[in-house]
């Protein structure tokens, strides 16, 4: 017996799958399963986070409903995965944020946007918020750069701390008893596997989403979103270096590196989440974890908002709308940062860690 | 069949089906068999998608209730559908790929008697052989022994129908097999498992009440694939016998005699090794090791029927032959419904899929050729 009902069900399914094994070529989950004959809570959380929800094993399975064995691996592992986010959350007191995640995320997003607007209005002279500001340092007339850097730096550091603590708990639970360290080769392998979404692939034909045809485009949308996010992050990092090393203040001209990176990334962060949202709406109900709909959509919406407000700010930065848009954009980014450890963002972290563990297990097997 | 089977490996990939290497943990199949990635349903999904792309119309939920055949010539099929009701479909050729009759327990009982009540059917409950029966009644020549089939010993706790591949047991060669009187009845180590697994269904079917028990000890538990149902365990042979409702004294005696007959040897399950018994009947000619390390473990097994061999006789164009030997003008058959042309008795891993794919392709080709002319 396991800690939760969903882990009991995951254990039952892994016992069924382990005596069949026809899906072992589809992804990493089944080869990892075959290295075990019995499954601890940690093992099941590991397998759940290794699953990329491509749906192929459900479409291929001869024991999926209406068969009495009722095998639905993608959905069961999706629920187990979501529950594992709460189980490993740090501090424990905040694990409840996963229960009604859509609500939590939207309230925090709304509050932080409102806080930036009110803050801009309260701390500045009347008229600054709706004034037209151009030239270097335009943004900092609304909020001093150092204040901005301190606030976001603190939010980001907190997010990293909470994520590190969560990952420690996960790693200890799924890894060797002492929670062994990862080797460089396995980490490199995991970066490649995650970077190309190797297992969001249906074993070669593609993924399944709305029906039993491998026509799913989530891999493309995810790439747009993820690499869009990375480009935006890179844009911010370059801008920070410009500011402190070169003494050049934002906003930068359109041809300059931070703007180019941010524009490309922003397009990705608008198009990707839209695609993911539409795919989520079309997903076959038998594959969908309805209870986590709020968490999934909340995260998609936050990414979209961050991208959309950023692009709007770029386009309208020389008009009177700049002040309010800057407030909205900063509010969205701030909410995204502080909710990182308590929302769907963590899926990427846990899945990456699971891929590291998988790469390590494969190396161990090949070595023995 | 063997000649065309080589080409099938590539042809079927062109139709969208994917292969994978031999599955992890299967016994000695790495050297002999290819596996469909995702299993048989994945293969069928891929073939149906290809057929649809080519413009083939598939009538799901449609039962053929009658065939109109005149003088060896197919004219039409009467079809019942939940929505459209009964309709008649006329066609220039017919390919029958409707399977055997293994799910038709009454038909099995005609040949097996009441023993068939204790059979488990590994596949769909819809494989009732109704098309096969219609064809035989309308003049097609039959082939094969009605009691011959692909039958393996599967877990007795499996569902009556459709337990599929996962109720299999690969553990026979690692232990002994006894019947309800706790007596051994066949050489468990006769040959490597891919050549022998398909005889154990018939062997168990011949035992009283069609039940048997694979008995082994804790030293071999990880030697074979994990099983859907856990083994039944006892700290002593007597305790195990109690749980299996076998006579404890008889089981003790059988195991003691077996252990005493085991000769020393070097165990290697990948070859026909020299671990064997001496002085007992039946012997265990390979992989014989003493059963002496508790807990003692057992799997109850029953005959699991995969498919039957009785079918329609065909020539090498997959064309059905009528009684008297005349080839049908436009009727072809593929798969289980004509497997008896190839399989008399016995089996080797992979032949069923090979018959289905090779004769499916031939039958389709010949049927299309006839339709074009």
């Amino acid at each position: 017996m396991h800690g939760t009902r969903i882990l009991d069900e995951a254990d039952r399914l892994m016992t069924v799958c382990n005596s069949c094994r026809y899906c072992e070529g589809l992804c990493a989950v089944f080869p990892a399963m075959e290295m075990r004959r019995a499954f601890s809570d940690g093992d099941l959380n590991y397998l759940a986070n290794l699953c990329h929800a491509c749906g192929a094993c459900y479409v291929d399975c001869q024991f999926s409903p209406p068969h009495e064995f009722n095998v639905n691996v993608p959905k069961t592992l999706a629920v187990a995965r979501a529950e594992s986010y709460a189980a490993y959350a740090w501090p424990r007191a905040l694990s409840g944020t996963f229960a009604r995640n859509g609500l939590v995320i939207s309230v925090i997003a709304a509050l932080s946007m409102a806080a930036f607007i009110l803050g801009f209005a309260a701390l500045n002279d009347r008229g600054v918020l709706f004034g037209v500001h151009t030239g270097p340092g335009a943004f900092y007339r609304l909020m001093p750069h150092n204040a901005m850097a301190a606030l976001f730096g603190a939010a980001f550091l907190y997010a990293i701390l909470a994520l590190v603590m969560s990952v420690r708990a996960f790693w200890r639970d799924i890894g060797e008893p002492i929670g062994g360290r990862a080797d460089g080769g396995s980490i490199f392998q995991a970066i490649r596997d995650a970077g190309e979404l190797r297992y969001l692939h249906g074993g070669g034909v593609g993924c399944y989403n709305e029906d039993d045809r491998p026509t799913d485009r989530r891999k493309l949308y995810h790439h747009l979103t993820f690499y869009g996010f990375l480009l935006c992050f890179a844009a911010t990092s370059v801008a920070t270096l410009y500011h402190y090393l070169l003494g050049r203040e934002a906003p930068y001209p359109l041809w300059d590196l931070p703007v180019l990176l941010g524009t490309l990334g922003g397009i990705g962060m608008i198009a990707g989440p839209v695609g993911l949202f539409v795919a989520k709406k079309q997903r076959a109900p038998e594959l969908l974890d309805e209870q986590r709909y709020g968490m999934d959509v909340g995260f998609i919406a936050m990414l979209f908002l961050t991208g959309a407000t950023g692009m709007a700010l770029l386009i309208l930065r020389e008009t009177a709308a700049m002040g309010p848009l800057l407030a909205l954009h900063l509010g969205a980014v701030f909410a995204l940062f502080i909710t990182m450890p308590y929302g769907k963002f963590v899926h990427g972290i846990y899945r990456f860690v699971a891929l590291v563990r998988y790469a390590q297990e494969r190396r161990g097997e090949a070595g023995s | 069949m063997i000649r065309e089977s080589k080409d099938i490996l590539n042809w079927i990939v062109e139709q969208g089906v994917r292969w994978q290497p031999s599955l992890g943990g299967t016994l000695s199949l790495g050297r002999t068999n290819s596996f469909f990635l995702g299993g048989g349903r994945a293969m069928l999904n891929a073939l149906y998608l290809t057929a649809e792309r080519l413009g083939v119309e598939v009538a799901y939920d449609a039962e053929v209730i009658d065939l109109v055949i005149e003088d060896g010539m197919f004219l039409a099929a009467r079809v019942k559908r939940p929505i459209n009701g009964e309709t008649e479909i006329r066609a220039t050729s017919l390919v029958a790929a409707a399977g055997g009759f293994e799910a038709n327990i009454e038909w099995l009982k005609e040949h097996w008697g009441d023993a068939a009540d204790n059979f488990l059917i590994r596949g769909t409950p819809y494989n009732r052989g109704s098309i096969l029966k219609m064809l035989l009644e309308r003049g097609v020549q039959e082939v094969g022994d009605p009691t011959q089939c692909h039958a393996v010993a599967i877990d007795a706790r499996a569902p009556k129908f459709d337990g599929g591949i996962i109720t299999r047991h690969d553990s026979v060669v690692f232990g002994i097999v006894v019947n309800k009187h706790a007596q051994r009845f066949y050489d468990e180590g006769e040959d490597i498992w891919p050549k022998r697994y398909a005889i154990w269904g018939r062997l168990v079917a011949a035992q009283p009440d069609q039940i048997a028990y694979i008995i082994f000890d804790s030293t071999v538990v990880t030697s074979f694939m994990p099983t859907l149902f856990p083994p039944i365990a006892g700290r002593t042979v007597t305790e195990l016998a109690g749980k299996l409702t076998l006579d404890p004294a008889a089981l003790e005696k059988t195991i003691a005699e077996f252990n005493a007959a085991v000769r020393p040897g070097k165990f290697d399950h990948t070859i026909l090794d020299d671990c064997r018994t001496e002085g007992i009947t039946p012997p265990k000619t390979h992989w014989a090791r003493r059963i002496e390390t508790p807990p003692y473990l057992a799997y109850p097994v029953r005959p699991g029927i995969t498919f039957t061999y009785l079918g329609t006789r065909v020539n090498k164009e997959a064309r059905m032959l009528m009684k008297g030997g005349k080839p049908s003008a436009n009727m072809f058959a593929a798969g289980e419904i004509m497997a008896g042309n190839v399989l008399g008795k016995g089996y080797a891993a992979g032949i069923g899929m090979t018959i289905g794919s090779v004769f499916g392709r031939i039958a389709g080709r010949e049927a299309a050729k006839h339709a074009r002319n």
Side-chain angles (χ1 to χ4, degrees), chain A residues 180-205:
Chain A
R181 278 166 198 275
D183 65 278
S186 298
I187 292 176
F188 181 64
Q189 179 67 50
I191 290 174
R192 286 179 48 190
D193 293 346
E196 63 178 87
L197 290 177
R198 181 172 170 192
Y199 299 112
L200 192 63
H201 201 38
V205 284

Side-chain angles (χ1 to χ4, degrees), chain A residues 143-160:
Chain A
M143 184 177 190
H145 183 270
N146 284 345
M148 210 186 272
L151 184 64
F152 282 86
F156 190 55
L157 284 178
Y158 174 77
I160 289 181

Side-chain angles (χ1 to χ4, degrees), chain A residues 268-283:
Chain A
M269 276 180 75
I270 292 172
V274 168
L276 288 172
F277 178 68
V278 172
K280 175 73 63 185
K281 294 281 273 187
Q282 292 170 337
R283 192 156 176 83

Side-chain angles (χ1 to χ4, degrees), chain B residues 178-295:
Chain B
V178 301
N179 62 17
K180 69 175 259 194
H181 303 303
Q183 302 301 313
R184 290 177 60 245
F185 52 88
Y186 197 81
D187 179 357
E188 299 89 351
E190 188 178 47
D191 206 341
I192 59 162
W193 194 233
K195 288 203 228 164
R196 279 295 166 270
Y197 73 92
I199 69 169
W200 279 89
R202 287 186 81 75
L203 291 172
V204 176
Q207 296 304 309
D209 292 348
Q210 294 72 49
I211 183 102
Y213 304 89
I214 307 169
I215 310 239
F216 51 99
D217 71 14
S218 57
T219 59
V220 300
V221 182
T222 55
S223 304
F224 45 86
M225 270 179 62
T227 53
L228 175 63
F229 298 100
I232 296 165
R235 277 161 298 169
T236 61
V237 171
T238 305
E239 189 189 49
L240 179 65
K243 288 187 180 172
L244 302 177
T245 63
L246 297 177
D247 176 3
L251 188 61
E252 290 268 14
K253 184 161 171 286
T254 298
I255 292 179
E257 284 175 1
F258 172 78
N259 285 347
V262 171
R263 295 296 113 211
K266 192 168 177 304
F267 181 84
D268 183 352
H269 77 83
T270 61
I271 56 165
L272 297 172
D273 72 1
D274 60 349
C275 293
R276 59 191 175 79
T277 59
E278 233 172 65
I280 51 169
T281 313
K284 182 174 177 183
T285 48
H286 305 95
W287 313 299
R289 286 183 300 178
R290 281 195 285 275
I291 298 168
E292 56 188 4
T293 311

